[in-house]
Amino acid sequence: MRALTLAEYDGKGWRNPRDLQLQKLPANQRWIGGERSGRRQLLQSVDARVDSPMLFAAGEPVEVSVDSEVEWLPNGELISFRSWQRRYTVLSSVPAVGAETLRSVGDWGVDAAGSGNRLPLGEQLYLQLPASVPPRVHDLAAQLTLTATTLYDKATLLESYLRQFPYDLSVPEPPITIDDVADYFLFDLQRGYCDYYATAFIVMARSL
């Protein structure tokens, strides 16, 4: 389940652009940005034991049973649902596609003629990487996916590689001297918790 999505990586961590949109949403009203193809609906009952305004939900929440605020990016991507209510039901859209469908998606490309499988408007945000990412991170991503022929297969190879690293909640904070967290996790620490795995995966995926 997720509470918050972050989009921009700066080498030290994650943040969102400043031009976020905010909308108050009455209970049981559908958020219009949540309707997409290739999904199925999932209804969840939540009793949150966390002191946070974030509402937790699987996939992409589209409707909650309490008054809330929806925060999203200018491209329509959801950042969070917020409310101080700790008991609620939430309707989500979750993926409902198989591996073969995902393999059929071609590489994103924009050519001079404007043809091909173009990246949707506003999605360039998810290719952003800072200059702080060392060349060896890009090289590792390319090496790990050398045999892959589709974007999906590249993603699964990156995932398999990262699953070799032990999961560890007790790792210390990264040293302030490091330039890039993904590089530190991949080549020095090689153990950690969800934030490290997600960061390393996304940085390598974006580099491809």
Side-chain angles (χ1 to χ4, degrees), residues 12-208:
K12 301 289 187 179
W14 292 88
R15 63 173 183 263
N16 277 318
R18 295 181 179 180
D19 53 344
L20 298 179
Q21 313 295 314
L22 192 65
Q23 172 187 350
K24 293 186 180 297
L25 199 67
N28 300 309
Q29 179 172 311
R30 187 67 58 94
W31 179 56
I32 193 170
E35 299 297 338
R36 295 183 175 185
S37 62
R39 270 78 163 172
R40 65 179 177 85
Q41 292 190 339
L42 176 67
L43 183 64
Q44 307 131 82
S45 295
V46 180
D47 183 2
R49 308 297 174 88
V50 180
D51 187 21
S52 167
M54 302 294 179
L55 298 183
F56 294 84
E60 300 164 344
V62 296
E63 183 180 323
V64 296
S65 63
V66 295
D67 293 345
S68 62
E69 289 185 336
V70 182
E71 190 175 36
W72 75 94
L73 292 165
N75 67 359
E77 293 285 350
L78 178 68
I79 295 298
S80 68
F81 270 72
R82 300 168 186 254
S83 173
W84 282 105
Q85 298 295 321
R86 299 292 81 200
R87 288 188 177 185
Y88 52 91
T89 59
V90 54
L91 183 68
S92 295
S93 287
V94 295
V97 292
E100 290 310 310
T101 300
L102 294 171
R103 285 192 177 96
S104 69
V105 178
D107 285 355
W108 298 116
V110 180
D111 57 23
S115 61
N117 194 19
R118 294 175 61 92
L119 196 67
L121 186 64
E123 301 296 285
Q124 290 85 356
L125 172 66
Y126 304 117
L127 299 182
Q128 170 270 337
L129 282 177
S132 63
V133 179
R136 65 179 181 175
V137 175
H138 299 282
D139 293 342
L140 177 62
Q143 175 189 345
L144 292 174
T145 58
L146 195 60
T147 61
T149 57
T150 70
L151 293 177
Y152 175 75
D153 290 324
K154 291 178 182 180
T156 57
L157 288 171
L158 295 180
E159 178 190 19
S160 296
Y161 179 77
L162 292 173
R163 284 186 180 276
Q164 299 178 78
F165 295 170
Y167 191 87
D168 187 352
L169 290 171
S170 64
V171 294
E173 291 287 324
I176 61 174
T177 54
I178 67 168
D179 293 324
D180 189 83
V181 173
D183 178 79
Y184 171 67
F185 175 67
L186 289 167
F187 294 98
D188 299 314
L189 187 61
Q190 295 192 327
R191 62 193 308 113
Y193 46 85
C194 51
D195 292 356
Y196 284 103
Y197 289 93
T199 294
F201 179 88
I202 294 169
V203 169
M204 288 197 292
R206 289 184 179 189
S207 79
L208 296 171

